[in-house]
Amino acid sequence: MTQPVRLIPLLCPHCQTPIPAQPDEVAWVCSNCQKGALLDEKKGAVPLNVFFHASLAAGKKGAPFWVTRGKVTFQERITYQGNEQKAMQDFWAESRLFAIPAFALPLEEAVVMGVKFLHQPIPMEMGKPAPFPPIVVPPQDVHPLAEFIVMSVEAERKDALKHLKFTLTLEPLQCWILPV
Ligand SMILES: [Zn+2]
């Protein structure tokens, strides 16, 4: 059975202004009060903090990301040849900052961007609101995407990875508009 699409108009949870939501969009910044809202399938739009990165003030183009710290625990690394176990354990000894693209992007490009951020994180400094493309990646998609990114980081090591078993634990997500 097909679900009817949003019978109730979405309202900003802060100021009740209607949100001109487009299909696929899952979060917004209200045009009236500038506060964030996230689509909840049951409750409608619920409050969401959206942070704008300080470097956007310099005229840089911004795009939305789900940002969080992630802790990886490895159970097994099996390779065809070589052994990068130590490099892997050193890299993941601390929890790492993840930035998962929240805008429309082919999976491969999203993973490449996520891997780049993992290797070169930027300080999370807040700035002023700036325009950004629609937020279409729901929070529940972030964990599998972050797992893809971990796999990609590990597959890039010098040994020939055959099999990897790990657990990824993510802290609560923050929505950031970051420079791209
Ligand atoms: Zn509002």
Side-chain angles (χ1 to χ4, degrees):
M1 198 179 84
T2 320
Q3 293 285 332
V5 181
R6 282 169 205 159
L7 293 173
I8 303 161
L10 283 171
L11 300 178
C12 171
H14 308 280
C15 73
Q16 311 308 315
T17 299
I19 298 170
Q22 299 298 309
D24 295 338
E25 291 184 3
V26 296
W28 307 268
V29 169
C30 175
S31 58
N32 180 51
C33 71
Q34 312 300 326
K35 289 181 180 165
L38 173 70
L39 177 66
D40 181 296
E41 293 295 346
K42 291 195 186 84
K43 296 178 206 156
V46 296
L48 170 76
N49 285 321
V50 178
F51 303 98
F52 291 86
H53 197 269
S55 70
L56 298 175
K60 280 196 181 151
K61 232 180 112 199
F65 289 80
W66 294 111
V67 175
T68 185
R69 295 199 77 83
K71 180 83 185 127
V72 176
T73 313
F74 289 97
Q75 279 93 41
E76 204 169 38
R77 182 186 186 91
I78 298 170
T79 61
Y80 290 105
Q81 60 176 21
N83 186 348
E84 290 289 311
Q85 181 120 4
K86 172 132 189 359
M88 171 185 83
Q89 275 161 350
D90 287 351
F91 184 77
W92 297 104
E94 305 273 319
S95 70
R96 292 269 171 182
L97 195 62
F98 285 76
I100 314 293
F103 51 106
L105 204 59
L107 176 64
E108 277 172 37
E109 287 176 41
V111 170
V112 166
M113 210 172 250
V115 168
K116 183 168 174 259
F117 186 89
L118 207 51
H119 285 303
Q120 298 158 356
I122 57 171
M124 290 292 128
E125 292 160 349
M126 279 182 1
K128 290 194 188 111
F132 60 91
I135 302 173
V136 297
V137 176
Q140 58 268 31
D141 286 2
V142 168
H143 193 270
L145 279 168
E147 284 181 330
F148 261 122
I149 289 165
V150 173
M151 277 302 298
S152 189
V153 164
E154 291 310 315
E156 281 171 9
R157 295 197 192 281
K158 288 191 204 86
D159 59 0
L161 187 62
K162 184 181 182 184
H163 173 75
L164 190 67
K165 200 172 162 192
F166 63 93
T167 310
L168 171 66
T169 311
L170 297 178
E171 290 180 12
L173 304 181
Q174 286 188 346
C175 186
W176 277 83
I177 312 302
L178 299 178
V180 285

